[in-house]
Amino acid sequence: MNPNTASKDIAAGPSELILNPIERPRVTQELSENVILTTVDDLYNWARLSSLWPLLYGTACCFIEFAALIGSRFDFDRFGLVPRSTPRQADLIITAGTITMKMAPALVRLYEQMPDPKYVIAMGACTITGGMFSMDSPSAVRGVDKLIPVDVYLPGCPPRPEAIIDAIIKLRKKISNESIQERGNLRQTHRYYSTTHTMKVVDPILTGKYLQSAERETPPKELVEAMGMPVPPALLTAEKEVERRA
């Protein structure tokens, strides 16, 4: 019996349908199966939301959860996310961790080096509001949106990898509703500029000779007098030697 004929006979039955027939697929005459009608916006947005390349950027413990997302258990490659180590090839930055005032200029520099259009996910309570450091920390930035525009806020301390996937899905929905004509209206209006500092160059404090320092072998004279301890003769001899050389 010819298998092609048998498959045709079975497929012709009223209640049975072969999912994978052995015959070659035919080009049908139905217009809906041969022509795809879409818009430039939909095609452009589909290409961008299907290939979000996040920047490998982490500053604190939230990056551990983001690193777990890259692994085989959660496998965020299925969303088309390819982690990049350079901002010039990335269009998504996930601020995973606390941003300090010392790190703020570097963050802004990385964001400005990313090509447009680019997106930001603020991950973790420390990134959104300062978190546990919002009360008494002199260096934590109270919200990364003071530096760069944020598209999706992801709360938690730290958020689990499933929460990051949910934030990426929400960002994909946001990208799908964008329009090329309205892109100019969505640009950043307030920019954070990092200026060149005018600090004076001083000698380094850490010279690498800690073990050879006199303060380590013998306490300083001021500390000894404050504690009420007798000044050792060796310290007096060393001070006299210094004064004689001066």
Side-chain angles (χ1 to χ4, degrees):
M1 186 176 181
N2 190 353
N4 295 331
T5 307
S7 62
K8 293 179 181 179
D9 296 338
I10 297 175
S15 60
E16 295 183 3
L17 179 63
I18 297 179
L19 297 179
N20 297 316
I22 61 175
E23 61 181 357
R24 294 182 177 273
R26 301 176 181 176
V27 178
T28 61
Q29 301 299 324
E30 297 292 335
L31 182 64
S32 60
E33 297 181 7
N34 296 308
V35 179
I36 299 177
L37 300 178
T38 183
T39 61
V40 176
D41 282 340
D42 291 339
L43 183 60
Y44 180 73
N45 294 335
W46 170 79
R48 286 193 296 116
L49 67 87
S50 301
S51 60
L52 288 173
W53 288 8
L55 179 66
L56 279 175
Y57 176 77
T59 55
C61 44
C62 278
F63 185 74
I64 303 298
E65 303 297 324
F66 178 70
L69 186 66
I70 305 177
S72 59
R73 179 175 181 180
F74 299 97
D75 187 24
F76 78 157
D77 291 350
R78 61 186 176 206
F79 291 98
L81 277 76
V82 180
R84 306 302 298 173
S85 299
T86 170
R88 293 171 180 82
Q89 298 177 358
D91 53 4
L92 170 62
I93 180 170
I94 301 177
T95 55
T98 311
I99 302 299
T100 60
M101 295 180 183
K102 187 176 182 179
M103 180 58 66
L107 171 63
V108 175
R109 190 179 303 112
L110 289 174
Y111 178 78
E112 291 178 348
Q113 289 177 351
M114 294 169 57
D116 289 324
K118 48 194 172 184
Y119 307 94
V120 179
I121 295 179
M123 177 182 175
C126 296
T127 307
I128 298 174
T129 61
M132 68 180 78
F133 308 105
S134 60
M135 296 299 295
D136 53 358
S137 175
S139 59
V141 177
R142 272 69 167 173
V144 75
D145 50 3
K146 294 181 175 62
L147 306 174
I148 55 179
V150 177
D151 296 284
V152 179
Y153 292 90
L154 177 58
C157 186
R160 283 187 54 82
E162 295 91 342
I164 307 176
I165 293 177
D166 181 70
I168 292 175
I169 292 175
K170 287 181 171 58
L171 179 61
R172 287 162 58 97
K173 292 180 179 179
K174 179 180 180 180
I175 296 174
S176 64
N177 294 327
E178 292 182 356
S179 175
I180 299 178
Q181 297 178 352
E182 299 177 357
R183 185 190 300 176
N185 301 330
L186 302 176
R187 290 183 177 178
Q188 184 180 0
T189 56
H190 298 80
R191 297 177 63 86
Y192 175 90
Y193 291 97
S194 58
T195 59
T196 305
H197 66 78
T198 57
M199 300 180 182
K200 297 180 180 180
V201 180
V202 297
D203 295 332
I205 299 176
L206 302 177
T207 59
K209 298 181 179 180
Y210 172 73
L211 297 178
Q212 289 79 19
S213 62
E215 288 79 5
R216 181 181 181 275
E217 299 176 358
T218 305
K221 181 180 178 181
E222 295 78 6
L223 179 60
V224 172
E225 294 177 351
M227 298 177 62
M229 299 172 57
V231 180
L235 182 58
L236 295 175
T237 305
E239 291 180 353
K240 291 179 182 180
E241 185 69 20
V242 173
E243 292 176 359
R244 187 181 63 83
R245 292 180 179 179

